[in-house]
Each structure stands twice: as C-alpha cells, then as structure tokens.
Short mmCIF file of all heavy atoms in Angstrom, two decimals:
data_model
loop_
_atom_site.label_atom_id
_atom_site.label_comp_id
_atom_site.label_asym_id
_atom_site.label_seq_id
_atom_site.Cartn_x
_atom_site.Cartn_y
_atom_site.Cartn_z
N ILE A 1 107.39 134.64 107.49
CA ILE A 1 108.74 134.47 106.93
C ILE A 1 109.17 133.01 107.00
O ILE A 1 109.75 132.46 106.05
CB ILE A 1 109.74 135.37 107.70
CG1 ILE A 1 109.41 136.83 107.45
CG2 ILE A 1 111.17 135.06 107.30
CD1 ILE A 1 110.25 137.80 108.24
N ILE A 2 108.86 132.34 108.12
CA ILE A 2 109.22 130.93 108.25
C ILE A 2 108.51 130.10 107.19
O ILE A 2 109.10 129.19 106.56
CB ILE A 2 108.89 130.41 109.66
CG1 ILE A 2 109.68 131.19 110.73
CG2 ILE A 2 109.18 128.93 109.80
CD1 ILE A 2 109.26 130.92 112.15
N ASP A 3 107.20 130.40 106.96
CA ASP A 3 106.44 129.66 105.94
C ASP A 3 107.07 129.81 104.57
O ASP A 3 107.16 128.83 103.80
CB ASP A 3 104.99 130.18 105.90
CG ASP A 3 104.22 129.82 107.17
OD1 ASP A 3 104.65 128.88 107.87
OD2 ASP A 3 103.20 130.49 107.46
N ARG A 4 107.53 131.00 104.23
CA ARG A 4 108.13 131.23 102.90
C ARG A 4 109.39 130.39 102.73
O ARG A 4 109.56 129.75 101.69
CB ARG A 4 108.45 132.72 102.75
CG ARG A 4 109.24 133.06 101.49
CD ARG A 4 109.14 134.54 101.16
NE ARG A 4 109.51 135.39 102.26
CZ ARG A 4 110.78 135.69 102.56
NH1 ARG A 4 111.77 135.20 101.87
NH2 ARG A 4 111.03 136.50 103.56
N PHE A 5 110.24 130.35 103.75
CA PHE A 5 111.46 129.55 103.64
C PHE A 5 111.13 128.05 103.64
O PHE A 5 111.80 127.27 102.97
CB PHE A 5 112.41 129.88 104.80
CG PHE A 5 113.29 131.05 104.54
CD1 PHE A 5 112.92 132.32 104.96
CD2 PHE A 5 114.49 130.90 103.85
CE1 PHE A 5 113.74 133.42 104.73
CE2 PHE A 5 115.31 132.00 103.61
CZ PHE A 5 114.93 133.26 104.05
N GLU A 6 110.09 127.67 104.39
CA GLU A 6 109.74 126.25 104.46
C GLU A 6 109.23 125.75 103.12
O GLU A 6 109.46 124.59 102.74
CB GLU A 6 108.71 126.05 105.56
CG GLU A 6 108.55 124.60 105.98
CD GLU A 6 107.78 124.45 107.28
OE1 GLU A 6 107.01 125.38 107.61
OE2 GLU A 6 107.94 123.43 107.94
N LEU A 7 108.56 126.61 102.36
CA LEU A 7 108.03 126.21 101.06
C LEU A 7 109.11 126.19 99.98
O LEU A 7 109.03 125.40 99.03
CB LEU A 7 106.90 127.16 100.64
CG LEU A 7 105.60 127.06 101.46
CD1 LEU A 7 104.64 128.18 101.08
CD2 LEU A 7 104.94 125.70 101.23
N THR A 8 110.12 127.04 100.11
CA THR A 8 111.11 127.18 99.04
C THR A 8 112.43 126.47 99.33
O THR A 8 113.32 126.47 98.47
CB THR A 8 111.41 128.67 98.80
OG1 THR A 8 111.88 129.26 100.02
CG2 THR A 8 110.16 129.40 98.33
N LYS A 9 112.60 125.89 100.51
CA LYS A 9 113.89 125.25 100.84
C LYS A 9 114.11 124.05 99.93
O LYS A 9 113.18 123.33 99.55
CB LYS A 9 113.90 124.83 102.31
CG LYS A 9 112.89 123.74 102.67
CD LYS A 9 112.95 123.40 104.14
CE LYS A 9 111.91 122.32 104.48
NZ LYS A 9 111.94 121.95 105.88
N GLU A 10 115.38 123.85 99.57
CA GLU A 10 115.75 122.77 98.67
C GLU A 10 116.37 121.59 99.40
O GLU A 10 116.50 120.51 98.82
CB GLU A 10 116.75 123.30 97.62
CG GLU A 10 116.16 124.39 96.73
CD GLU A 10 117.18 124.91 95.73
OE1 GLU A 10 118.34 124.42 95.78
OE2 GLU A 10 116.83 125.78 94.92
N GLN A 11 116.77 121.75 100.66
CA GLN A 11 117.41 120.66 101.39
C GLN A 11 116.46 120.12 102.46
O GLN A 11 115.47 120.75 102.82
CB GLN A 11 118.71 121.17 102.05
CG GLN A 11 118.50 122.32 103.01
CD GLN A 11 119.78 123.05 103.31
OE1 GLN A 11 119.98 124.14 102.83
NE2 GLN A 11 120.63 122.44 104.11
N ASN A 12 116.78 118.94 102.94
CA ASN A 12 115.95 118.27 103.93
C ASN A 12 116.32 118.77 105.32
O ASN A 12 117.18 118.21 106.00
CB ASN A 12 116.15 116.75 103.83
CG ASN A 12 115.29 116.00 104.84
OD1 ASN A 12 114.26 116.51 105.29
ND2 ASN A 12 115.71 114.80 105.19
N VAL A 13 115.67 119.86 105.73
CA VAL A 13 115.91 120.46 107.04
C VAL A 13 114.57 120.65 107.74
O VAL A 13 113.60 121.13 107.15
CB VAL A 13 116.62 121.83 106.91
CG1 VAL A 13 116.79 122.46 108.29
CG2 VAL A 13 117.98 121.66 106.26
N ILE A 14 114.51 120.27 109.03
CA ILE A 14 113.28 120.36 109.81
C ILE A 14 113.19 121.75 110.44
O ILE A 14 114.16 122.26 111.01
CB ILE A 14 113.25 119.28 110.91
CG1 ILE A 14 113.33 117.88 110.27
CG2 ILE A 14 112.00 119.41 111.77
CD1 ILE A 14 113.54 116.77 111.28
N PHE A 15 112.00 122.36 110.32
CA PHE A 15 111.75 123.66 110.97
C PHE A 15 110.93 123.42 112.23
O PHE A 15 109.87 122.80 112.18
CB PHE A 15 110.97 124.60 110.04
CG PHE A 15 111.82 125.25 108.98
CD1 PHE A 15 113.11 124.79 108.73
CD2 PHE A 15 111.36 126.33 108.25
CE1 PHE A 15 113.90 125.39 107.77
CE2 PHE A 15 112.14 126.94 107.29
CZ PHE A 15 113.42 126.47 107.04
N GLU A 16 111.44 123.91 113.37
CA GLU A 16 110.73 123.78 114.65
C GLU A 16 110.41 125.17 115.19
O GLU A 16 111.28 126.03 115.26
CB GLU A 16 111.58 123.02 115.68
CG GLU A 16 110.86 122.82 117.00
CD GLU A 16 111.73 122.09 118.02
OE1 GLU A 16 112.92 121.85 117.73
OE2 GLU A 16 111.22 121.78 119.11
N ARG A 17 109.16 125.39 115.55
CA ARG A 17 108.73 126.71 116.02
C ARG A 17 108.38 126.64 117.51
O ARG A 17 107.65 125.75 117.94
CB ARG A 17 107.50 127.18 115.24
CG ARG A 17 107.69 127.08 113.73
CD ARG A 17 106.51 127.64 112.99
NE ARG A 17 106.53 127.21 111.58
CZ ARG A 17 105.94 127.85 110.59
NH1 ARG A 17 105.28 128.97 110.83
NH2 ARG A 17 106.00 127.39 109.35
N LYS A 18 108.94 127.57 118.26
CA LYS A 18 108.63 127.71 119.68
C LYS A 18 108.18 129.14 119.92
O LYS A 18 108.92 129.98 120.45
CB LYS A 18 109.86 127.38 120.53
CG LYS A 18 110.31 125.94 120.43
CD LYS A 18 111.51 125.68 121.33
CE LYS A 18 111.95 124.22 121.27
NZ LYS A 18 113.13 123.96 122.14
N LEU A 19 106.96 129.43 119.48
CA LEU A 19 106.44 130.79 119.50
C LEU A 19 105.21 130.88 120.40
O LEU A 19 104.44 129.91 120.50
CB LEU A 19 106.08 131.25 118.09
CG LEU A 19 107.19 131.13 117.03
CD1 LEU A 19 106.66 131.55 115.67
CD2 LEU A 19 108.38 131.98 117.42
N PRO A 20 104.97 132.02 121.05
CA PRO A 20 103.77 132.19 121.87
C PRO A 20 102.51 132.08 121.01
O PRO A 20 102.52 132.35 119.80
CB PRO A 20 103.94 133.59 122.45
CG PRO A 20 105.39 133.90 122.33
CD PRO A 20 105.86 133.19 121.11
N LYS A 21 101.41 131.71 121.64
CA LYS A 21 100.13 131.59 120.92
C LYS A 21 99.42 132.94 120.80
O LYS A 21 98.60 133.12 119.91
CB LYS A 21 99.22 130.60 121.65
CG LYS A 21 99.80 129.19 121.78
CD LYS A 21 100.03 128.56 120.42
CE LYS A 21 100.57 127.14 120.57
NZ LYS A 21 100.86 126.53 119.26
N HIS A 22 99.75 133.89 121.67
CA HIS A 22 99.07 135.18 121.66
C HIS A 22 99.85 136.18 120.81
O HIS A 22 101.01 135.95 120.45
CB HIS A 22 98.90 135.71 123.08
CG HIS A 22 100.21 135.85 123.80
ND1 HIS A 22 100.72 134.84 124.59
CD2 HIS A 22 101.11 136.86 123.84
CE1 HIS A 22 101.86 135.22 125.08
NE2 HIS A 22 102.14 136.45 124.64
N ALA A 23 99.22 137.30 120.53
CA ALA A 23 99.84 138.34 119.70
C ALA A 23 100.90 139.10 120.49
O ALA A 23 100.82 139.22 121.71
CB ALA A 23 98.78 139.30 119.19
N ALA A 24 101.93 139.60 119.78
CA ALA A 24 102.97 140.42 120.37
C ALA A 24 103.25 141.57 119.40
O ALA A 24 103.92 141.38 118.39
CB ALA A 24 104.23 139.60 120.63
N PHE A 25 102.73 142.74 119.69
CA PHE A 25 102.82 143.88 118.77
C PHE A 25 104.10 144.68 119.03
O PHE A 25 104.39 145.06 120.16
CB PHE A 25 101.59 144.78 118.92
CG PHE A 25 100.34 144.17 118.35
CD1 PHE A 25 99.47 143.46 119.16
CD2 PHE A 25 100.04 144.30 117.00
CE1 PHE A 25 98.32 142.90 118.65
CE2 PHE A 25 98.90 143.74 116.48
CZ PHE A 25 98.02 143.03 117.30
N VAL A 26 104.86 144.91 117.95
CA VAL A 26 106.05 145.74 118.01
C VAL A 26 106.01 146.73 116.85
O VAL A 26 105.37 146.47 115.82
CB VAL A 26 107.34 144.89 117.93
CG1 VAL A 26 107.51 144.07 119.17
CG2 VAL A 26 107.34 144.01 116.69
N GLU A 27 106.72 147.84 117.02
CA GLU A 27 106.74 148.86 115.98
C GLU A 27 108.04 148.72 115.19
O GLU A 27 109.12 149.02 115.70
CB GLU A 27 106.65 150.25 116.62
CG GLU A 27 106.32 151.34 115.61
CD GLU A 27 106.07 152.68 116.27
OE1 GLU A 27 106.26 152.77 117.50
OE2 GLU A 27 105.69 153.63 115.57
#
C-alpha cells in the first residue's frame, strides 16, 4: 500500500518506514 501511494503522490512528501524485517501474519 505504501508503494502504491509513493508512486502516485503528486506532492513532495517523504515516506519513512519503520517496519520489522520479519513476517507478521494476521487474519
């Protein structure tokens, strides 16, 4: 989802990600 917004954004806004490197499975 972040990639989609980063590709289509029209304004100059920086995206910073602070996500774990391992998988996290949710239902």
